[in-house]
Amino acid sequence: EAAALRERVAASSDMEAALSDEASKRSDCPSSTNGGRLKPFQRGDLERAFEAAAFRLAVGELSPVVETAAGFHVVLRRS
């Protein structure tokens, strides 16, 4: 299911809006009320697997599905 979600977002002409919509509908993270957007963070603030994926991305790039203890994630780097 996470892979299919990622593919829908990647195929969208507006990945940020598509990911925000999916996060609002599907995520149980507190960030879901903000469309899945996180506040800026530094290395060491979040789980390693999530950070590794996020910091590896170029601005505007979408990550593969990332699994952490909290669940499955798709990261879109905005800045």
Side-chain angles (χ1 to χ4, degrees):
E1 186 174 331
L5 179 147
R6 189 220 178 264
E7 292 308 313
R8 283 193 302 277
V9 170
S12 173
S13 61
D14 186 346
M15 288 194 300
E16 188 170 349
L19 187 57
S20 178
D21 183 56
E22 293 287 355
S24 296
K25 292 178 186 174
R26 299 176 184 277
S27 177
D28 59 1
C29 177
S31 70
S32 66
T33 60
N34 191 31
R37 290 179 187 88
L38 300 177
K39 293 179 182 178
F41 59 90
Q42 300 176 41
R43 292 184 190 277
D45 289 347
L46 302 172
E47 287 194 47
R48 280 187 168 172
F50 186 92
E51 287 181 1
F55 287 114
R56 200 171 28 240
L57 298 172
V59 174
E61 188 176 6
L62 188 67
S63 75
V65 175
V66 179
E67 185 175 3
T68 69
F72 295 92
H73 314 272
V74 177
V75 181
L76 175 62
R77 183 165 179 187
R78 297 184 311 138
S79 61

